[in-house]
Amino acid sequence: MQHVNAFKVILPLTLVCLFSFLSANGQQNDTIPKDTTYWKKDFRGGLSFNQASFSENWQGGGVNSIGLNTNLTYKANYRKDIHSWDNTIDLGYGLVKNEDQGSRKSVDRLFLDTKYGRILNEKWTFFTSLTFLSQFDRGYEYDVEQADGTMRDSLISEFMSPAFITSSWGFEYHPVDYFTLRLGPFSPRLTVVNNDQLSEAGAYGVDPGDKTRFESLAFQMVADFNKDIAENLNLKWKYMMFANYKELEVKKLDHRLDLTLAAKVNKFIDVSVGGILLYDYDQIDELQISQALNLGLVYTYKNYKEKKK
């Protein structure tokens, strides 16, 4: 039984990457064009493929496999006088297929963020933001023993199950260009579990049978770091912490750390290693870890030049 349809997700994302590449490439000359607006735009799209195969007499062990990952990140940030408006789209999807198994997800991320800011001084800004986090496809826990003793795969997530929609209000600290810290003392969050089976089970903190959970009084902190730490070597990480004022216990604080180290081989090829550390008490009272290594085609475009220091 194949649980995921690769073409439903991989093809649209690939077409988006290709369209964005052609649009951006058609707009630029040999030098970065002058932008007469107040917008800074930053696009990054990539496609990576990995494969392994072994002969039947291979003594070292192993399993034949193929994998495909695609990702897209786009930022459009506006600055004029004391006003700012920052927007981020971060999409990723990947599949791996081992011999004698159906396709299984390796990456699945759908993240949207928009933030309005009113600059108070050189390092502080008042902000209000809206964030959406979900996934594209179904996720399974594989080979779960059932009540009748049989082994089957169990659905644990899908698009909008869960989805997290957070509105945050507070202050942002930005001491340098490559680091920001958001402190949102008022950050209500809506958790959506649209799947009937998962909502009946009370997954992701909703009451059994309900499809939403609203946490009206909450605090959110977001730390964002993105810097070229050496020539052709970029380090990027984002840490998010969420706390419900009504459940202020250490073990019930949500934590998420996304980390990526990317090295540019040439104009269109790079290699990256990344990982996610996640703790969400409403999902499971344990630390969750995800790691990925990719080598593939990448296209980047900016309508501005980084300041040299």
Side-chain angles (χ1 to χ4, degrees):
M1 176 180 177
Q2 185 170 332
H3 298 301
V4 291
N5 188 328
F7 290 100
K8 282 186 177 180
V9 181
I10 289 289
L11 184 58
L13 278 181
T14 303
L15 291 176
V16 170
C17 290
L18 180 60
F19 175 77
S20 301
F21 165 81
L22 294 174
S23 299
N25 197 46
Q27 293 172 3
Q28 62 177 339
N29 300 316
D30 293 335
T31 59
I32 297 177
K34 292 183 179 179
D35 188 0
T36 56
T37 72
Y38 296 92
W39 288 91
K40 283 187 176 182
K41 301 174 183 179
D42 187 346
F43 171 85
R44 178 185 177 90
L47 183 67
S48 62
F49 173 80
N50 55 77
Q51 179 267 342
S53 62
F54 306 87
S55 64
E56 293 182 359
N57 61 349
W58 183 258
Q59 299 299 299
V63 58
N64 298 341
S65 66
I66 57 173
L68 181 67
N69 291 338
T70 182
N71 62 81
L72 182 153
T73 303
Y74 181 70
K75 294 185 177 183
N77 299 334
Y78 176 87
R79 295 285 189 282
K80 184 179 180 182
D81 300 328
I82 62 171
H83 303 285
S84 66
W85 184 26
D86 298 342
N87 303 276
T88 300
I89 300 173
D90 188 358
L91 312 176
Y93 190 81
L95 290 173
V96 61
K97 187 180 187 309
N98 295 327
E99 188 176 22
D100 300 326
Q101 291 181 343
S103 299
R104 298 184 177 186
K105 292 193 303 182
S106 56
V107 178
D108 193 357
R109 177 173 173 80
L110 172 55
F111 177 79
L112 309 173
D113 180 72
T114 184
K115 173 176 65 73
Y116 166 77
R118 186 177 177 86
I119 299 172
L120 301 177
N121 57 42
E122 184 179 351
K123 295 183 178 180
W124 287 93
T125 298
F126 169 79
F127 80 90
T128 176
S129 67
L130 185 65
T131 301
F132 175 83
L133 175 63
S134 189
Q135 60 191 54
F136 290 99
D137 209 352
R138 291 189 166 194
Y140 291 85
E141 183 178 1
Y142 295 98
D143 300 325
V144 178
E145 185 174 1
Q146 307 298 311
D148 58 5
T150 61
M151 304 296 288
R152 286 187 298 179
D153 302 335
S154 178
L155 178 72
I156 55 176
S157 62
E158 65 174 4
F159 175 68
M160 295 300 291
S161 296
F164 302 99
I165 303 170
T166 306
S167 175
S168 187
W169 303 68
F171 298 91
E172 181 179 80
Y173 178 60
H174 39 84
V176 289
D177 291 341
Y178 54 84
F179 176 77
T180 60
L181 176 67
R182 294 189 204 176
L183 302 173
F186 179 64
S187 300
R189 181 174 73 175
L190 178 68
T191 301
V192 180
V193 181
N194 198 46
N195 179 276
D196 292 336
Q197 176 185 337
L198 296 175
S199 68
E200 288 294 335
Y204 301 100
V206 301
D207 291 332
D210 290 347
K211 292 192 174 182
T212 60
R213 177 192 182 193
F214 184 58
E215 297 170 273
S216 58
L217 298 175
F219 171 86
Q220 184 181 62
M221 179 176 74
V222 180
D224 204 332
F225 181 95
N226 188 344
K227 183 182 181 182
D228 291 335
I229 57 176
E231 186 175 0
N232 296 326
L233 185 63
N234 177 266
L235 174 64
K236 178 171 63 176
W237 58 261
K238 180 191 290 285
Y239 168 72
M240 303 176 67
M241 189 269 282
F242 182 86
N244 187 329
Y245 289 131
K246 295 181 179 180
E247 299 177 343
L248 278 181
E249 301 178 37
V250 174
K251 71 175 184 178
K252 291 188 177 182
L253 301 180
D254 295 346
H255 305 272
R256 180 183 176 115
L257 175 65
D258 294 72
L259 176 68
T260 303
L261 182 65
K264 197 170 186 63
V265 178
N266 59 37
K267 187 176 181 179
F268 294 109
I269 298 177
D270 78 349
V271 59
S272 65
V273 60
I276 300 173
L277 297 178
L278 172 65
Y279 177 82
D280 187 338
Y281 181 81
D282 294 320
Q283 297 184 25
I284 185 174
D285 188 13
E286 296 177 2
L287 181 65
Q288 302 176 56
I289 301 175
S290 171
Q291 180 271 329
L293 174 66
N294 289 298
L295 172 64
L297 299 174
V298 64
Y299 176 76
T300 60
Y301 168 75
K302 293 181 180 180
N303 71 338
Y304 65 96
K305 290 184 178 180
E306 298 284 359
K307 295 180 180 179
K308 294 184 177 180
K309 295 184 178 182

